[in-house]
Amino acid sequence: MASPRGFSTSWVLFSSSVVVFATLCAAISPYAPGLSENFYAKSCPQAAEIVEHYVTAYLKKDSTFAGAFNRLQFHDCWVGGCDGSVLLNSTATNSAEREAHVNFGLRGIKEVDEIKAALEYACPGVVSCADILILAARDATVKAGGPWWPVALGRKDASESVDLLADGNLPFPVFPFPLLVQNFARKNFSAREMVVLSGAHTIGQTHCNGVLPHLYNFTGGNNATDIDPAMYKGFATFLKKLCPQGNRTNTLFIDSTAGKFDNAYYKNVLANKGIFITDSTLITNSLGKKLVTSFAKAKSSFFEEFAAGMVKMGNLGVLTGSQGEIRKQCQFVNHK
C-alpha cells in the first residue's frame, strides 16, 4: 500500500497535469472566450435543430437564401463583431447598418425574425440573434453542398447599429486586390483567407448595382462602352443584357452553378468571368492567381479552409456574459 506521503505526491503531480492540460486546451481553442459548442445544452437543447428546420424550409422554397444567410454572417461580423447589429432597424434618430450603401439588397432579415420567434416560443429569452446568424450560415452552406463546421455559441446581441460603420468596414464590390488585402488584414485575416472567403460567392446572388462598374465607364471617362479589360468580352456582352446601363435592381447569379456550393467560382474567375471587380481582381496579383488556380483544382482544400475561415470569423468582437442582451425581436432592441 502506498504511504500517505506517496499518495500526496502523486495527487499533486496529477493535479498539476490536469491544470497544464486544461491550460493547453484553452490555449488552442478555436473559439473566443465565453463561446462553446454546448452553450445551449441545458437552456435550449433544441436550438440548433429549430434553426436547421427553418433554414431547410427556406432553401426548399428559394435556394438563393443559402447565399443570403452567408452574406448576413459576413456583413454582421465584419462591422463591430458578430453581435446581430446588422439586423436592427433604423430609428428616427439613427440610420442603421442595413441602410449602408454596401448593404444594398441585403436579404434574410424577415426569415431570421421568423426563426427567432420560434426560438422565443421554445426557449424565451435564451438564444441570441447573433447566434442564429452563425447557425443559419453554416446550415445553409451544408445544405447547398458545402462543408460543415462546428459552431460555438453564447454570443449576446448589440443594442447599436450605425450605417457609417458598415460602409467604413465592409469591402465594396469595386475594391482592387491591395484594398481587399488591407480590409481583411484589419480583422486579422490573411490574403489567403481573403481569397478563401471570397469563395462564398459560389452561392451568391447580386443586384446589378454591384456589377455596373464592371460594364460601363470602368475608367471614369464617361464612356458607356468602357468595359473592365480584365473581363472576357463575350461574358461582358452577356451581362449587359441582364444589366442594362442604369439598371441597379435586376438580379443575377454570381456563379455559373447557381445555388450549389462548389469551386466553380474560382474556375469562373480564372476564365475572366468574375461578376464583381473584387472577383476579377483576385487574379491580377501573383499570390491571388496562384490561390485561385489551386482552389479551382482542389475543391477539398477550398472546403477545408473555408470552414476554418468561417469559424474564425465567428469569433470577431463577440459580446458574452454580462455584455449585450438577448433581443426578443431581432430588428428591435429590448425596451428598458
Side-chain angles (χ1 to χ4, degrees):
M1 178 179 293
S3 67
R5 179 183 176 86
F7 175 80
S8 176
T9 303
S10 300
W11 176 249
V12 170
L13 290 172
F14 174 75
S15 299
S16 299
S17 298
V18 169
V19 171
V20 171
F21 179 74
T23 303
L24 287 172
C25 287
I28 63 174
S29 172
Y31 308 129
L35 302 183
S36 69
E37 293 180 45
N38 61 352
F39 187 84
Y40 297 118
K42 293 183 179 180
S43 58
C44 192
Q46 66 273 52
E49 183 181 348
I50 290 172
V51 175
E52 182 181 11
H53 169 78
Y54 276 84
V55 170
T56 301
Y58 296 138
L59 264 63
K60 281 185 177 179
K61 289 197 291 187
D62 184 351
S63 64
T64 65
F65 273 117
F69 287 132
N70 260 266
R71 188 186 183 201
L72 276 176
Q73 174 176 331
F74 178 58
H75 283 231
D76 184 43
C77 294
W78 224 245
V79 185
C82 308
D83 56 9
S85 57
V86 73
L87 302 169
L88 284 171
N89 280 342
S90 295
T91 66
T93 57
N94 177 67
S95 183
E97 290 173 31
R98 284 161 52 188
E99 308 305 323
H101 297 292
V102 75
N103 279 328
F104 182 84
L106 202 68
R107 300 170 60 228
I109 308 294
K110 179 175 94 42
E111 287 69 25
V112 171
D113 257 354
E114 290 176 353
I115 297 173
K116 176 61 175 173
L119 286 165
E120 282 297 301
Y121 180 81
C123 315
V126 173
V127 182
S128 68
C129 300
D131 277 347
I132 293 173
L133 291 180
I134 300 295
L135 283 165
R138 190 273 307 275
D139 292 345
T141 300
V142 172
K143 293 182 186 305
W148 178 93
W149 58 88
V151 168
L153 304 167
R155 297 165 190 80
K156 292 288 188 66
D157 297 320
S159 57
E160 295 182 352
S161 179
V162 181
D163 60 347
L164 293 179
L165 291 179
D167 280 336
N169 280 274
L170 286 161
F172 279 82
V174 295
F175 274 16
F177 194 88
L179 280 183
L180 284 176
V181 172
Q182 290 175 22
N183 181 275
F184 274 70
R186 287 201 296 267
K187 308 298 179 183
N188 198 31
F189 281 71
S190 67
R192 183 184 187 96
E193 289 170 320
M194 178 272 288
V195 175
V196 167
L197 290 174
S198 294
H201 285 175
T202 186
I203 48 173
Q205 176 181 272
T206 182
H207 289 86
C208 289
N209 181 60
V211 184
L212 294 178
H214 241 345
L215 304 175
Y216 309 97
N217 197 27
F218 178 73
T219 59
N222 197 27
N223 184 350
T225 62
D226 187 10
I227 301 171
D228 180 358
M231 180 177 282
Y232 172 59
K233 285 187 171 58
F235 188 57
T237 300
F238 167 73
L239 290 180
K240 283 191 170 187
K241 293 179 181 178
L242 298 175
C243 297
Q245 189 172 14
N247 187 310
R248 302 172 68 238
T249 56
N250 282 1
T251 58
L252 64 156
F253 293 109
I254 303 176
D255 189 306
S256 58
T257 56
K260 183 179 180 182
F261 197 103
D262 54 23
N263 63 338
Y265 165 78
Y266 297 106
K267 297 176 182 178
N268 294 339
V269 170
L270 278 178
N272 296 316
K273 295 180 179 179
I275 292 291
F276 299 131
I277 291 174
T278 49
D279 299 325
S280 61
T281 195
L282 296 182
I283 57 173
T284 63
N285 172 276
S286 58
L287 172 62
K289 189 169 185 177
K290 180 180 178 181
L291 292 171
V292 170
T293 303
S294 173
F295 294 137
K297 294 178 179 178
K299 184 176 75 171
S300 59
S301 177
F302 162 50
F303 274 29
E304 180 180 346
E305 294 189 44
F306 183 85
M310 293 297 281
V311 170
K312 181 177 178 179
M313 189 196 304
N315 292 326
L316 290 174
V318 296
L319 303 174
T320 59
S322 61
Q323 301 172 308
E325 64 181 11
I326 304 294
R327 296 204 294 266
K328 295 177 182 178
Q329 293 179 283
C330 291
Q331 296 188 55
F332 305 94
V333 297
N334 295 339
H335 293 295
K336 303 299 182 182

